[in-house]
Amino acid sequence: MQARIQVDPELIPGNSERFKRQVEFLLEIDRLKHTLRQTILLDRSRQENSVEHSWHIALSVMIFAEYADLDGVDLCRVIRMLLIHDLVEIDAGDTYCYDEQAGAGQHERERRAADRIFGLLPGDQAQDFRNLWDEFEEAGTPEARSAHAMDRFQAFLHNYFTQGQVWRQHGIRRQQVLRRMQAVERGAPLLWDYVRTLMDDAVHKGFLLP
Amino acid sequence: MQARIQVDPELIPGNSERFKRQVEFLLEIDRLKHTLRQTILLDRSRQENSVEHSWHIALSVMIFAEYADLDGVDLCRVIRMLLIHDLVEIDAGDTYCYDEQAGAGQHERERRAADRIFGLLPGDQAQDFRNLWDEFEEAGTPEARSAHAMDRFQAFLHNYFTQGQVWRQHGIRRQQVLRRMQAVERGAPLLWDYVRTLMDDAVHKGFLLP
């Protein structure tokens, strides 16, 4: 992996350590564009990367907010949460949600990544980003539950509308997807109906094992 | 270009036309992941696409908001504006900012694209997205000016920190970048100092023609 870009402090206005850290963080997160997911683009030309996924689910909030459980929810917080939720993958990589072996060390890997990556920012911003990430991980607030629902919903649609290419490749069963999609049931109950209908149809059409 | 994905209305809960349009929009915007920009990733491995750029500048708002001219600015509106500002490129493609010939028909191409793409959404959401896009294009509000500043600032940093590879390839001169960067001066005056310093340094180091 290429070394982290260090910014020349001599060129920073007022030699501000704060500004230097902010620029270095912005440059560092460019790396997430290289993290490939186990989801493919809808034209099946290639894998999606984690930045593209993050953008797509932030847009999902703008479109599907009305179906999420949103009484008093701060939508902007959901969007910000989704924009940063995968940054830890710069160090920890993407873990396929149905790979139980890789899943075992995932939380510890991602926690260490969060320490390093958010720690590049000035203290107050590091804390702000870390709080957003912790909140997403803990899934205890309505904002975090809506975020998880959008995260799962977009990936599900990509799998369904590419005729389950990745599901079939990994021999995924209905029961596994059903368990994974409980986040949609919890965070966006009205989207859940659609997911369940498509899941049945996917089994019927051979995109997904029964 | 692959045909637009049409969703089977029979599988839509309650046969809702509104929901069908929303899902089709979410699927359609996947295409923006194929639109390549005249900017490269920091490790110079490939061109950046418009989705990656949109995500990166939305993150820039979260990091650099304190330097923008933000009295009473709705930050969430700036983020939403940036997330959708390039959607028109699905039809209109990316126009290189220093290509005057291509720039000539750009506005009309993008306006037609906005009609078609935002028009896929249900009426109220189509209007909401279109308003955001028009506001960005017109650059008349503090939100839109901050958005433009972030848009330019990220691209500038990528050019500088890849030793002006794309600038050199196109024989770009300091005066052209200076003109383009006036959006930073207007929208985020405190970032402007840094841009000007790096621009001088870029000329000094041969990344940019004098």
Side-chain angles (χ1 to χ4, degrees), chain A residues 57 60-61 64-65 67-75 77-79 81-82 135-136 139-153 183-184 186-189 191:
Chain A
I57 57 184
S60 304
V61 177
F64 292 103
Y67 305 105
D69 196 0
L70 287 173
D71 261 2
V73 161
D74 177 352
L75 269 193
R77 190 166 180 83
V78 182
I79 291 175
M81 207 178 279
L82 288 172
E135 184 179 336
F136 179 81
T141 63
E143 281 84 356
R145 282 194 294 270
S146 304
H148 277 279
M150 296 303 162
D151 186 36
R152 303 288 206 275
F153 184 60
V184 178
R186 275 193 299 269
L191 295 183

Side-chain angles (χ1 to χ4, degrees), chain B:
Chain B
M1 198 192 254
Q2 200 199 10
R4 185 163 75 74
I5 296 176
Q6 310 260 352
V7 167
D8 183 350
E10 301 274 304
L11 300 176
I12 295 278
N15 215 329
S16 157
E17 173 65 18
R18 179 177 181 84
F19 188 67
K20 180 175 181 294
R21 295 180 82 132
Q22 290 167 322
V23 173
E24 287 180 347
F25 180 83
L26 193 74
L27 299 174
E28 178 70 1
I29 65 177
D30 192 58
R31 284 189 167 154
L32 191 60
K33 298 170 190 170
H34 298 289
T35 302
L36 297 180
R37 290 167 48 79
Q38 292 290 345
T39 324
I40 53 174
L41 300 191
L42 289 172
D43 73 350
R44 309 189 206 180
S45 58
R46 61 167 172 85
Q47 285 171 272
E48 187 182 36
N49 68 51
S50 294
V51 162
E52 295 168 327
H53 166 69
S54 300
W55 170 85
H56 214 157
I57 56 183
L59 257 293
S60 304
V61 177
M62 292 174 63
I63 302 164
F64 292 103
E66 67 199 73
Y67 305 105
D69 197 0
L70 287 173
D71 262 2
V73 161
D74 177 352
L75 269 192
C76 190
R77 191 166 180 84
V78 182
I79 291 175
R80 289 192 298 137
M81 207 179 279
L82 288 173
L83 290 174
I84 67 132
H85 84 294
D86 271 344
L87 282 175
V88 294
E89 295 182 359
I90 291 171
D91 290 354
D94 177 62
T95 305
Y96 189 39
C97 58
Y98 301 119
D99 180 346
E100 288 180 19
Q101 214 171 347
Q106 182 184 1
H107 185 71
E108 184 48 30
R109 275 198 309 281
E110 295 189 346
R111 209 191 45 72
R112 276 199 309 270
D115 289 346
R116 183 188 78 79
I117 295 161
F118 300 134
L120 296 173
L121 283 166
D124 58 323
Q125 290 190 324
Q127 193 58 57
D128 182 39
F129 277 57
R130 181 56 180 258
N131 289 348
L132 277 173
W133 185 75
D134 284 341
E135 184 178 334
F136 179 81
E137 287 297 300
E138 289 158 14
T141 63
E143 281 83 357
R145 280 193 295 269
S146 304
H148 277 280
M150 295 303 162
D151 186 36
R152 303 289 205 275
F153 184 61
Q154 184 256 359
F156 177 84
L157 290 181
H158 272 243
N159 277 309
Y160 177 85
F161 284 103
T162 52
Q163 308 195 328
Q165 184 170 308
V166 178
W167 284 336
R168 285 184 283 123
Q169 197 177 313
H170 293 278
I172 303 300
R173 313 200 80 88
R174 186 183 192 286
Q175 189 55 37
Q176 292 172 281
V177 179
L178 187 74
R179 207 178 312 132
R180 181 96 185 139
M181 288 304 134
Q182 279 166 4
V184 179
E185 191 175 10
R186 276 194 299 270
L190 288 165
L191 296 182
W192 171 242
D193 267 358
Y194 188 48
V195 167
R196 214 175 30 187
T197 307
L198 292 190
M199 206 153 39
D200 291 343
D201 190 60
V203 171
H204 177 70
K205 287 179 173 150
F207 303 166
L208 181 64
L209 291 173

Side-chain angles (χ1 to χ4, degrees), chain A residues 59-121:
Chain A
L59 258 293
S60 304
V61 177
M62 292 173 63
I63 302 163
F64 292 103
E66 67 199 73
Y67 305 105
D69 196 0
L70 287 173
D71 261 2
V73 161
D74 177 352
L75 269 193
C76 191
R77 190 166 180 83
V78 182
I79 291 175
R80 288 191 298 137
M81 207 178 279
L82 288 172
L83 289 174
I84 68 133
H85 84 294
D86 271 345
L87 282 175
V88 294
E89 295 182 358
I90 290 171
D91 290 354
D94 176 61
T95 305
Y96 189 39
C97 58
Y98 301 117
D99 180 346
E100 287 181 19
Q101 212 171 348
Q106 182 183 2
H107 185 70
E108 184 49 29
R109 275 198 310 280
E110 294 189 347
R111 209 191 45 72
R112 276 199 308 271
D115 289 345
R116 183 189 78 80
I117 295 161
F118 300 134
L120 297 173
L121 284 166

Side-chain angles (χ1 to χ4, degrees), chain A residues 122-135:
Chain A
D124 58 324
Q125 290 190 325
Q127 193 59 57
D128 182 40
F129 276 57
R130 181 57 180 259
N131 289 347
L132 276 173
W133 185 76
D134 284 341
E135 184 179 336

